[in-house]
């Protein structure tokens, strides 16, 4: 199984004002449609990080201690996860990540 190095995330400027995370093995969170096949090569921890990175990039204020410790809440402005505005690509990526997490029992 290929492993993605969490520390190897590259932040690139997206078309908008925010930064998007880009991962060598799956692409950028805001512009690339992640394939379930590529996502299946990731660990539960990596899937959790990628999914929550998308939420962080869109202003979500994390509620769990784990996420707050990992991401922090600096600059967040949305406390209701259901109200986080995402592009179609981002929503679809989150949905695919969640599906793979369910498959793995994460």
């Amino acid at each position: 199984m290929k492993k993605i190095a969490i520390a190897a995330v590259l932040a690139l400027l997206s078309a908008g004002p925010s930064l998007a995370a880009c991962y060598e093995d799956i692409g950028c969170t805001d512009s690339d449609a992640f394939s379930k096949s590529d996502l299946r090569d990731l660990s539960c921890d990596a899937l959790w990080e990628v999914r929550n990175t998308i939420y962080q990039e869109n202003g979500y204020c994390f509620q769990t201690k784990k996420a707050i410790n990992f991401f922090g809440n600096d600059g967040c402005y949305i406390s209701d996860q259901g109200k986080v505005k995402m592009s179609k690509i981002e929503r679809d990526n989150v949905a695919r990540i969640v599906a793979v997490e369910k498959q793995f029992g994460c």
Side-chain angles (χ1 to χ4, degrees), residues 2 9 12 14 20-21 30 41 44 46 48 55 58 60 62-63 72 77 80-81 84-87 93 96 99:
K2 292 189 297 183
V9 176
L12 299 175
S14 67
D30 68 339
D41 289 337
C44 285
W48 176 89
Y55 281 103
N58 287 287
Y60 181 62
F62 293 103
Q63 308 301 310
Y77 54 92
D80 183 344
Q81 192 176 52
V84 175
K85 293 182 179 170
M86 292 184 249
S87 70
N93 283 339
R96 280 188 289 274

Side-chain angles (χ1 to χ4, degrees), residues 4 20-40 42 46-47 49-54 57 88-98 100:
I4 179 172
C22 295
Y23 299 86
E24 185 176 325
D25 292 334
I26 59 173
C28 297
T29 57
D30 68 339
S31 60
D32 296 307
F34 301 159
S35 75
K36 282 189 178 179
S37 173
D38 287 341
L39 291 171
R40 285 185 197 106
L42 305 181
L47 290 165
E49 180 188 342
V50 174
R51 177 173 46 81
N52 283 296
T53 294
I54 295 170
E57 291 169 349
K88 179 170 176 18
I89 288 174
E90 291 166 324
R91 277 192 315 276
D92 291 348
N93 283 339
V94 167
R96 280 188 289 274
I97 292 167
V98 168
V100 172

